[in-house]
Each structure stands twice: as C-alpha cells, then as structure tokens.
Amino acid sequence: MMLSKNDLQQISEKCISESQIFYQLKCFETGFPFLKIINAASPEQGITIASDAQLNDLLETWEAYLKSNASILKFVPASGAASRMFKDLYEFLDADYAEPKKPAEIKFITEIKNFAFYNALNECCLKNNNKSIDDLIKYGETKAIVSNLLDSNGLNYGVLPKGLLLFHTYNNEKRTPLQEHLVEGGLYASNASNEVNIHFTVSTEHRQLFENHINDTLSEYEKVLAKIFNISLSEQKPSTDTIAVDQQNQPFREDGKLVFRPGGHGALIENLNDLNADVIFIKNIDNVVPDSLKDQTVKYKKAIAGLLIKLQQKAFEYLQLLEKDNISISNFHEISLFCEKELNNIHPEINKLNESELKQYLKSKLNRPIRVCGMVKNTGEPGGGPFLTVNADGTVSTQILESSQIDLSNPTEKAKMMHSTHFNPVDLVCGVKNYKGEKFNLLQFVDKQTGFISSKSKGGKELKALELPGLWNGAMSDWNTIFVEVPIETFNPVKTVNDLLRPEHQQTR
C-alpha cells in the first residue's frame, strides 16, 4: 500500500515513522497471538499471602527505606473522562418518560442528597431553573436536575475527567479523587524530607483544569498535612496514537485524511519511562476511599513496597556476585532458587544449562525492572488477572492478562481462566533502576505481540482500532512480576455515579 504525500505529512506531524504505520497495518492483517497459559496464579503457585509477622517485617522494611535518600513517586493515570460514569443518566435524558423508572435512575434521585456534589448541583439548579433540587423533584422535573449535572451550563460532569469530580464529603470540605490521592500519597510515599512526588497523566483538553485544581489545592493541603507536594503532569504522546483501518484493513479516512486513535493505557509506558525515580507506585485515579477507610490501603501499599525492596536488594546482591569469574555451585543453586521461587521465573530445562549458559540466564532474568502487584480475591465472574504463562524463550513467568489475550474458544484455555481465584485491581509498586543505579529503558521490556484490536465507529462507519500492549499487561511483560494478595477493601473503584453511594464512599462524616 502506498501512502500519499499528504499521508506522510500527517504522519510526520504526529512524530510517527512510516515503518510504524506499516507495522500497525500488518498487525491488523495478522492479528495478535493468544498467550499460552500454564494456569491461573493462585496461593499455591504464584500469589503470596503474607502472615501478620511477615506483614510487620515488610512494613518495617518500607519505613526504613523511607528514611533513605531514595526517590519515591506515585504515578496516577487520570486522563479518562467521566462520561461513562453517567451512561444510565444519559439514557434517562433520552428516554420518552419524564420520571425515573429504571433502578439506577430511581436510586440516583432518591439518594441524591448523599452525593458530595449535591450542594454545588443545587446551586446550578437554582441559577438555571429558579428551583431547588427538592422543588424540581416535587414538580416532576427530574431531567432538569440531570441536565444541570451533566451539561456545560451546569456542573459539566459529563465531559470533565473523573479526577476533578467531587467524590467524598467531610465535615469541612468536599474532596475530589485528585485530592484523595494527595492525602494517600502523604501516608505511604513521603520521603525523609516530607516530600511527596505525584505524577498524573492527563488529556490535553483537561490539562489546564488539572493545573487550576492543583493550584487551588496545594497550599492548604501542604499546610494541613505538613508535606511538600511535587506534582507533575504529562499527556499521552501523539506518537503513540495508532492508525485506524476499515473492514478490509485499509487505512480509514475522514475527509481524505488518515484517522488515528489513542493507543490505550499501554501508551503510558512512554510517560512512565520519562520519569526518574527509584520506586514508583501505580494506582488508578478512581480507586480512592475516604480517610476513615485508608488504613488498610496504606498498610498494604507499604507492605508490597517493602517486599519490592527486599527482593530488589537480594537481586542486586546476586547480580554483583554474578559479575565474578568464579562462582560456586552452591551459589548458582541459591540464585537459581531465588529466581524461581521468589521471582516466579521457571526454566523447564535449567538443569541442562552449562555454567556459562546458566550465568547468562540468571543475569538476564535478574537484571530487569521489577514490580510487586496487589491481587484481590475474585468476588464475581473470573476474567483477566494473574496467570503463569509461557514466554517466547520457553521459560514460564507470572503475567497480568486481559481476557482478550486468552483463547476462550479453546475449552482447555477457557477452563484455566475460569479457575482463576484473583483479579488485578491495578495496585502496583515498581523498581525501575538496575543494580548499578541506572534507569532501565522500559520500552525494551514491552512485548509488542500483546496488543488488542477492537471494533469502533466514526461518522456512522465501522472501523478497527489498534490498542498498544496494556500498561500493566504486555507493556510490562518482560519485568519480574510478583503477586501478593491484598484485601478487597483496598479496591473501591467508581465506575458509575451510583458507586459513590456505596458504604465505602459514604463513611466520611
């Protein structure tokens, strides 16, 4: 397929190479292979369940590390718009009935006073309709309430990012998820100088709103929490956008121009790679709880970070030992056991390797980024989560998979997924420097064969979209990955507006 001069100009403006475009087009034609699963990770193999004594030890390890000169950062993907939170309310606005009928609609209206944004919404209703929320309900004008919540002449929540919505009510304030992340970060990621480094990834159109909110918030929070916050923002790079195609896998065009789409959260590996820190926590913007429930979250964040430090320090010691010319058989055995039992790297034929091959294998597995991932017990239908999979080199390791990476048409593979006991809440802590203190180039550890192809539409026409390997999936495929069970109480995402009515988000008063 030939690209026109206009195509090449458009590609160049996005800082995308021609070879990247042809690679993406080839991916549409060939698709992505399913990963070969050994089994779902479990407490018997691959998931650690820490005892109380072990937890205390890990907490002590992390507290000691906080007193060092190490740089610690919290990384929060926050570019998602909140529009999907209000799917039910948008359907209500379009419905041919005036009063709430569906359960989600009824719940929203009957419990509306429990939302943190209630007072602000009531002010909008008074301004735009000359009626309070109570009066609008009384006179059957509930759609006006929803319009004031979602539309630009009201709170504009339909287009704002989740991070800037009012989530929680306290006696003296209403907090957004961004503010909750500041408080939470101060509780487990504050260094010896009481500095807290937090990085939010945001969309271009919302960046100024985030900057304004941060400027309005920081001085008061630094005063109350006695912390110094270093907040930084970044946007998904245009160079990580991917080309869209039609049903014949030819470039999709609109008004003669190529159509590009964001590459999904996997594109954020570039943003993560641009940051310089010894330890990086990763957590989604909407997974926050009020102060009354933060203890469990903070405890387990510190615990998985403590485990990261312990494993990383041991790996560094072994890598320094592997630099020596003469290594004893007992040392090789000790390092091999550590690599398999604690880092979950299994080589089925390790006993067949000669000394030189074994040394090289151990170096390659130890000298790479490391992440410890909290995993929560399944409470619903099994799906994506922690698995033991076969790598391209024939070794087996722990990976976080999406269900789309599993061949569900194969009864054997589907059965393995259905036996999964845990899921991924996106609760990670990462070590991104090597044993010499040098930062890894994280882009070298991405498995490009783990992308996704999805069906979308634009202008009423069907198209195919390509998503890059997910940030905690294929983008971290070649990392050392350790799973630790964490309580379900640490996972409280807000996927719909009515999730804010759950007890976990109401215990603030």
Side-chain angles (χ1 to χ4, degrees):
M1 187 209 74
M2 295 293 291
L3 295 172
S4 69
K5 285 185 178 180
N6 288 339
D7 291 340
L8 294 174
Q9 176 65 28
Q10 192 180 349
I11 291 167
S12 176
E13 289 172 356
K14 281 187 164 289
C15 299
I16 301 174
S17 69
E18 193 174 344
S19 61
Q20 279 178 278
I21 295 298
F22 284 115
Y23 173 76
Q24 291 172 10
L25 291 172
K26 183 180 178 182
C27 289
F28 281 112
E29 291 180 4
T30 61
F32 293 100
F34 294 113
L35 293 187
K36 185 178 180 182
I37 302 170
I38 299 300
N39 52 47
S42 66
E44 290 72 39
Q45 186 178 24
I47 298 179
T48 297
I49 299 181
S51 65
D52 289 342
Q54 289 171 322
L55 278 175
N56 289 333
D57 180 54
L58 295 175
L59 293 173
E60 289 177 7
T61 298
W62 181 243
E63 292 296 347
Y65 188 79
L66 288 176
K67 296 174 183 176
S68 71
N69 294 321
S71 57
I72 303 157
L73 176 76
K74 186 177 181 183
F75 182 85
V76 184
S79 58
S83 52
R84 278 182 281 184
M85 277 179 61
F86 305 107
K87 178 177 177 289
D88 293 325
L89 296 184
Y90 276 116
E91 290 178 357
F92 173 53
L93 286 179
D94 292 337
D96 58 3
Y97 49 86
E99 292 293 310
K101 286 186 177 181
K102 296 179 180 178
E105 300 162 0
I106 295 170
K107 186 174 182 66
F108 174 80
I109 293 298
T110 56
E111 298 184 40
I112 196 167
K113 290 186 178 181
N114 291 326
F115 288 109
F117 53 73
Y118 174 79
N119 290 340
L121 179 59
N122 194 50
E123 289 179 12
C124 288
C125 292
L126 288 168
K127 177 185 175 183
N128 293 327
N129 301 87
N130 294 315
K131 292 176 185 174
S132 67
I133 289 177
D134 282 342
D135 285 341
L136 288 171
I137 293 173
K138 179 180 177 181
Y139 294 107
E141 300 176 49
T142 50
K143 285 192 176 182
I145 299 170
V146 175
S147 293
N148 277 294
L149 175 68
L150 302 179
D151 295 345
S152 58
N153 65 335
L155 293 183
N156 205 27
Y157 274 22
V159 298
L160 288 181
K162 275 188 187 180
L164 303 185
L165 308 188
L166 293 174
F167 265 33
H168 298 146
T169 299
Y170 294 88
N171 290 331
N172 58 348
E173 68 172 326
K174 315 281 187 181
R175 269 190 214 157
T176 63
L178 183 144
Q179 292 169 325
E180 293 290 14
H181 275 286
L182 298 186
V183 176
E184 187 183 296
L187 294 172
Y188 60 73
S190 176
N191 65 20
S193 301
N194 282 327
E195 293 179 325
V196 183
N197 305 307
I198 306 181
H199 184 90
F200 295 93
T201 63
V202 301
S203 61
T204 303
E205 61 267 34
H206 294 144
R207 182 172 188 133
Q208 189 61 55
L209 294 174
F210 272 97
E211 290 177 350
N212 294 344
H213 185 48
I214 291 166
N215 290 335
D216 292 342
T217 295
L218 270 195
S219 59
E220 181 64 22
Y221 275 57
E222 288 186 333
K223 180 180 174 183
V224 172
L225 301 173
K227 302 293 180 185
I228 300 169
F229 287 99
N230 300 311
I231 309 300
S232 56
L233 306 176
S234 68
E235 301 162 29
Q236 190 168 309
K237 298 178 181 180
S239 60
T240 62
D241 288 353
T242 59
I243 194 167
V245 299
D246 59 23
Q247 298 304 304
Q248 286 72 47
N249 296 322
Q250 295 301 305
F252 187 96
R253 297 176 188 274
E254 188 174 53
D255 298 328
K257 289 189 174 183
L258 298 172
V259 170
F260 290 87
R261 296 182 58 86
H265 59 72
L268 298 182
I269 194 68
E270 298 251 6
N271 303 61
L272 192 66
N273 194 46
D274 289 340
L275 300 173
N276 186 20
D278 295 303
V279 173
I280 301 177
F281 291 90
I282 301 178
K283 190 178 184 185
N284 280 335
I285 187 68
D286 65 334
N287 184 15
V288 289
V289 290
D291 290 350
S292 60
L293 296 176
K294 281 188 173 69
D295 286 352
Q296 279 284 71
T297 292
V298 171
K299 177 181 179 180
Y300 277 87
K301 270 283 194 285
K302 290 181 175 181
I304 64 175
L307 179 57
L308 175 90
I309 298 307
K310 278 183 172 291
L311 294 173
Q312 190 180 57
Q313 288 174 346
K314 192 178 287 189
F316 288 175
E317 290 173 10
Y318 287 147
L319 282 164
Q320 289 166 351
L321 182 60
L322 288 168
E323 285 189 341
K324 296 181 179 179
D325 293 331
N326 298 315
I327 304 174
S328 67
I329 294 175
S330 62
N331 279 336
F332 270 126
H333 181 67
E334 180 183 334
I335 300 171
S336 297
L337 278 179
F338 170 75
C339 199
E340 178 176 334
K341 301 298 183 183
E342 298 193 54
L343 298 185
N344 301 313
N345 294 300
I346 303 167
H347 194 312
E349 298 185 339
I350 194 169
N351 293 329
K352 294 182 181 179
L353 302 180
N354 61 39
E355 185 175 306
S356 176
E357 291 170 334
L358 179 58
K359 189 174 187 179
Q360 183 56 41
Y361 165 73
L362 293 173
K363 276 186 175 181
S364 68
K365 294 301 182 184
L366 293 178
N367 193 30
R368 53 187 188 156
I370 181 172
R371 57 178 175 162
V372 179
C373 315
M375 289 292 151
V376 171
K377 279 186 177 179
N378 275 337
T379 54
E381 195 73 15
F387 288 85
L388 288 158
T389 65
V390 179
N391 303 310
D393 62 2
T395 61
V396 174
S397 67
T398 39
Q399 300 285 344
I400 299 174
L401 304 188
E402 299 290 345
S403 56
S404 60
Q405 295 176 273
I406 302 169
D407 185 3
L408 299 180
S409 66
N410 182 323
T412 302
E413 297 297 285
K414 184 176 181 178
K416 292 174 184 175
M417 187 192 80
M418 297 306 292
H419 282 99
S420 62
T421 58
H422 292 70
F423 70 89
N424 168 38
V426 188
D427 185 4
L428 291 75
V429 58
C430 310
V432 294
K433 291 186 178 179
N434 67 17
Y435 67 112
K436 296 179 181 179
E438 302 162 334
K439 194 170 77 70
F440 286 112
N441 178 0
L442 303 182
L443 306 184
Q444 295 178 350
F445 299 87
V446 176
D447 182 356
K448 294 181 179 180
Q449 288 296 301
T450 55
F452 307 86
I453 295 173
S454 56
S455 296
K456 306 284 183 180
S457 64
K458 187 173 179 63
K461 297 179 181 179
E462 295 297 312
L463 62 79
K464 294 181 185 179
L466 179 70
E467 287 198 26
L468 300 172
L471 179 59
W472 36 83
N473 311 117
M476 296 182 177
S477 176
D478 202 23
W479 293 38
N480 281 313
T481 299
I482 297 89
F483 299 138
V484 176
E485 183 178 290
V486 297
I488 186 69
E489 291 80 10
T490 64
F491 182 60
N492 294 283
V494 176
K495 301 305 179 188
T496 73
V497 64
N498 285 349
D499 284 341
L500 290 170
L501 298 172
R502 288 163 46 201
E504 296 88 345
H505 292 285
Q506 290 291 314
Q507 295 184 32
T508 56
R509 296 172 172 83

